[in-house]
């Protein structure tokens, strides 16, 4: 069993780090049906692809959404006996074990959801709602004991449902499951909660002691350029401080606004949609972000028919452009001082109100660098009085290729306007304190 460094929350409560204090930028992928639908050979093929692309957290569900307890896995094994959470099927979970261990061997963490939340909150989906406070604690304790030595697990409770609906409060069930995991591990391992679309875990669970990080889901149903930054800003301002990230922005190749009935004229989200939501959420204060592809979360293909207008098989989706571009965001963030980064819109002199044009700025608290993302080729006018030194070195960073081009050096005073190269659509303006003598944006130490 390969042991990875465990992940925890940073000292300033804004970021994640390994147990040795190294930065950990959560770059996830939604593989919700991974355990339920793939063979071990298919899982290895998928994990190898994600490792090569620099993704580092695979979000997957033990009791999956689509008939996850009423249809067997690829080997004919059901997850539970008689749909009873206190009677997990050993054969099914041996396969889960094997996939988790494969991920660890490839340097990948698993954002492990014990169950999709349709088994708790009966709103839509196959369900059924099988959890009570008592059996949630028992199931959590069993999982915690089983996986306490797997250091690559990041526990994710929830699964696309609220924890409180009308007069029904499901928080005691999640509290019991979290307590069970702690009891099984004899520790307090990292835990977070995946909420439903357009919401953050902070709305219902921020003050829960078991919740180490907030998650939001900007989702797929609000059209292009959903103001993800507004939810991140909300979470960032809360007390006590907790890291936050968008764990499900618009998936690449997901139909736009498909509910209740999709109009094909709406089209699909493509790689530009993925980039602009990811960069803007991170620059607004996120400690990472999750990529997703509409065919991959469901692993549609020969054995599984596509859900909700998926336009290709999961194998055909593995090398879509957005998936390969996510590493450039991670490398950019890791190429500059990490734990001192803060969001700062005030360095922007002008910022279009229309959300498709909206720019986001982040900078080093000590004035060593600033980053501004623009989703379109449009002027960026910035103040330079935030800089620690007398001169600022400027670069264009290409979020599609990860390449950087020098612009020049400027006196760190007053305001200055930059116009991105025409071959966009999107760019990152990188401004460094020249005296810091940083390497190229996106170039990290080995």
């Amino acid at each position: 069993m390969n042991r990875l460094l465990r992940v925890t929350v940073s000292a300033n409560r804004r970021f994640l780090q390994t147990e040795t204090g190294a930065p950990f930028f959560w770059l996830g992928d939604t593989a919700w049906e991974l355990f339920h639908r793939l063979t071990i050979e298919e899982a290895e093929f998928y994990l190898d692809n994600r490792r090569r692309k620099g993704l580092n957290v695979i979000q997957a569900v033990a009791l999956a959404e689509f008939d996850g307890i009423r249809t067997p896995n690829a080997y004919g094994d059901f997850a539970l006996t008689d749909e009873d959470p206190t009677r997990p099927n050993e054969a099914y979970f041996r396969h889960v074990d094997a996939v988790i261990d494969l991920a660890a061997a490839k340097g990948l963490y698993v954002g492990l959801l014990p169950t999709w939340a349709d088994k708790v909150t009966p709103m839509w989906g196959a369900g059924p709602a099988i959890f009570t406070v008592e059996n949630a604690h028992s199931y959590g304790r069993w999982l915690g004991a089983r996986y306490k030595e797997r250091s690559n697990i990041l526990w994710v409770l929830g699964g696309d449902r609220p924890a409180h609906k009308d007069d029904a409060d499901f928080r005691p069930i999640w509290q019991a499951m979290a307590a069970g995991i702690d009891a099984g591990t004899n520790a307090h391992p990292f835990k977070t909660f995946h909420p439903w679309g357009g919401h953050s875990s902070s709305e219902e669970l921020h003050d829960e002691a078991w919740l180490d990080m907030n998650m939001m889901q900007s989702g797929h149903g609000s059209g292009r350029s959903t103001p993800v930054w507004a939810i991140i800003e909300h979470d960032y301002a809360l007390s006590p401080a907790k890291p936050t990230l968008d764990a499900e922005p618009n998936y690449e190749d997901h139909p736009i606004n498909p509910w209740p009935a999709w109009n094909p004229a709406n089209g699909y989200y493509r790689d530009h949609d993925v980039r602009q939501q990811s960069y803007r959420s991170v620059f607004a204060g996120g400690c990472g972000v999750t990529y997703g592809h509409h065919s991959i979360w469901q692993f549609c293909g020969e054995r599984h028919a596509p859900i909700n207008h998926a336009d290709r098989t999961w194998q055909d989706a593995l090398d879509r452009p957005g998936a390969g571009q996510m590493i450039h965001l991670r490398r950019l963030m890791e190429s500059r001082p990490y734990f001192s980064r803060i969001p700062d819109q005030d360095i922007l002199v002008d910022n279009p109100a229309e959300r498709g044009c909206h720019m986001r700025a982040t900078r080093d608290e000590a004035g060593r660098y600033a980053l501004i993302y623009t989703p379109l080729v449009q002027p960026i006018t910035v103040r330079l009085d935030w800089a620690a030194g007398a001169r600022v070195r400027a670069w264009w960073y290409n979020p599609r290729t990860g390449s950087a081009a020098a612009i020049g050096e400027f006196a760190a005073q007053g305001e200055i306007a930059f116009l991105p190269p025409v071959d966009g659509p999107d760019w990152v303006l990188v401004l460094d304190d020249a005296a810091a003598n940083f390497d190229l944006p996106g170039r990290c130490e080995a």
Side-chain angles (χ1 to χ4, degrees), residues 7 15-18 22-26 56-57 109 154 287 338-339:
V7 170
F15 301 96
L16 302 180
Q17 63 181 39
T18 68
F24 183 83
F25 184 85
W26 178 303
N56 58 8
V57 180
Y109 292 78
L154 302 166
C287 66
Y338 196 83
F339 296 111

Side-chain angles (χ1 to χ4, degrees), residues 271-343:
D271 57 306
H272 179 223
D273 301 296
V274 171
R275 293 193 307 274
Q276 64 179 344
Q277 294 303 86
S278 298
Y279 277 80
R280 291 189 291 191
S281 73
V282 170
F283 284 20
C287 66
V289 71
T290 295
Y291 168 83
H293 191 281
H294 187 43
S295 297
I296 288 175
W297 73 259
Q298 58 184 280
F299 292 104
C300 60
E302 291 183 0
R303 294 195 305 275
H304 301 285
I307 298 166
N308 194 12
H309 312 287
D311 65 351
R312 67 200 71 218
T313 68
W314 70 268
Q315 295 96 332
D316 291 336
L318 285 171
D319 295 320
R320 291 291 286 156
Q325 293 161 357
M326 295 302 293
I327 185 59
H328 307 318
L329 173 56
R330 177 181 167 188
R331 285 175 175 160
L332 175 63
M333 307 320 292
E334 293 174 344
S335 70
R336 296 295 181 265
Y338 196 83
F339 296 111
S340 55
R341 181 172 64 85
I342 60 171

Side-chain angles (χ1 to χ4, degrees), residues 29-108:
D29 191 27
T30 49
W32 302 130
E33 295 276 339
L34 173 65
F35 305 127
H36 185 221
R37 290 189 164 184
L38 295 195
T39 65
I40 192 65
E41 293 81 11
E42 290 168 334
E44 182 164 24
F45 180 70
Y46 160 77
L47 293 171
D48 272 335
N49 182 278
R50 274 21 206 166
R51 175 190 57 79
R52 290 194 301 271
K53 287 180 168 54
L55 302 170
N56 58 8
V57 180
I58 306 300
Q59 298 171 199
V61 192
L63 307 182
E65 177 178 16
F66 284 92
D67 280 340
I69 61 174
R70 288 181 171 169
T71 59
N73 66 9
Y75 298 100
D77 299 314
F78 290 87
L80 305 174
T81 301
D82 297 331
E83 300 181 5
D84 183 352
T86 68
R87 301 174 66 194
N89 180 357
E90 179 64 23
Y92 179 93
F93 278 91
R94 279 199 300 269
H95 176 62
V96 176
D97 300 345
V99 175
I100 291 172
D101 290 345
L102 261 181
K106 300 175 190 304
L108 298 170

Side-chain angles (χ1 to χ4, degrees), residues 344-352 359-361 372-374 376 378-386 396 413-420 429 431:
D344 188 1
Q345 289 297 90
D346 289 339
I347 70 174
L348 288 171
V349 176
D350 295 303
N351 195 6
M359 297 183 283
R360 295 303 301 188
I372 300 96
Y373 175 82
T374 176
L376 300 174
Q378 57 188 347
I380 306 174
T381 303
V382 294
R383 295 178 16 247
L384 296 181
D385 57 1
W386 54 266
W396 289 117
Q413 58 189 20
E415 301 171 359
I416 187 169
F418 295 89
L419 184 63
L429 175 63
L431 301 172

Side-chain angles (χ1 to χ4, degrees), residues 21-326:
F24 183 83
F25 184 85
W26 178 303
L27 190 58
D29 191 27
T30 49
W32 302 130
E33 295 276 339
L34 173 65
F35 305 127
H36 185 221
R37 290 189 164 184
L38 295 195
T39 65
I40 192 65
E41 293 81 11
E42 290 168 334
E44 182 164 24
F45 180 70
Y46 160 77
L47 293 171
D48 272 335
N49 182 278
R50 274 21 206 166
R51 175 190 57 79
R52 290 194 301 271
K53 287 180 168 54
L55 302 170
N56 58 8
V57 180
I58 306 300
Q59 298 171 199
V61 192
L63 307 182
E65 177 178 16
F66 284 92
D67 280 340
I69 61 174
R70 288 181 171 169
T71 59
N73 66 9
Y75 298 100
D77 299 314
F78 290 87
L80 305 174
T81 301
D82 297 331
E83 300 181 5
D84 183 352
T86 68
R87 301 174 66 194
N89 180 357
E90 179 64 23
Y92 179 93
F93 278 91
R94 279 199 300 269
H95 176 62
V96 176
D97 300 345
V99 175
I100 291 172
D101 290 345
L102 261 181
K106 300 175 190 304
L108 298 170
Y109 292 78
V110 175
L112 178 60
L113 283 74
T115 180
W116 202 246
D118 63 331
K119 281 66 172 171
V120 176
T121 306
M123 294 175 65
W124 71 92
I130 58 173
F131 279 99
T132 65
V133 169
E134 291 74 21
N135 65 26
H137 188 278
S138 175
Y139 177 62
R141 186 177 65 246
W142 181 83
L143 284 175
R146 188 178 189 94
Y147 295 123
K148 65 182 178 181
E149 301 302 326
R150 264 88 169 181
S151 58
N152 67 320
I153 287 181
L154 302 166
W155 294 97
V156 184
L157 277 62
D160 200 28
R161 303 295 186 278
H164 187 278
K165 183 68 171 67
D166 300 326
D167 294 330
D169 189 355
F170 302 99
R171 285 172 292 191
I173 293 177
W174 298 117
Q175 291 164 351
M177 193 176 293
I181 292 169
D182 286 356
T185 58
N186 295 313
H188 176 92
F190 177 92
K191 289 186 288 295
T192 184
F193 184 94
H194 179 268
W196 60 331
H199 296 272
S200 170
S201 60
S202 66
E203 297 170 26
E204 300 172 316
L205 300 167
H206 182 77
D207 291 328
E208 296 281 339
W210 61 264
L211 186 81
D212 297 302
M213 180 185 78
N214 280 308
M215 272 187 171
M216 61 161 293
Q217 180 193 163
S218 59
H220 326 281
S222 298
R224 287 192 162 95
S225 289
T226 297
V228 54
W229 52 87
I231 306 179
I232 296 286
E233 282 180 336
H234 170 270
D235 284 2
Y236 196 90
L238 292 175
S239 180
K242 291 186 178 182
T244 187
L245 59 79
D246 190 351
E248 191 175 333
N250 44 221
Y251 291 153
E252 190 167 16
D253 300 328
H254 190 292
I256 299 173
N257 297 345
W259 303 285
W262 181 53
N263 180 352
N266 290 349
Y268 287 80
Y269 296 109
R270 301 303 189 191
D271 57 306
H272 179 223
D273 301 296
V274 171
R275 293 193 307 274
Q276 64 179 344
Q277 294 303 86
S278 298
Y279 277 80
R280 291 189 291 191
S281 73
V282 170
F283 284 20
C287 66
V289 71
T290 295
Y291 168 83
H293 191 281
H294 187 43
S295 297
I296 288 175
W297 73 259
Q298 58 184 280
F299 292 104
C300 60
E302 291 183 0
R303 294 195 305 275
H304 301 285
I307 298 166
N308 194 12
H309 312 287
D311 65 351
R312 67 200 71 218
T313 68
W314 70 268
Q315 295 96 332
D316 291 336
L318 285 171
D319 295 320
R320 291 291 286 156
Q325 293 161 357
M326 295 302 293

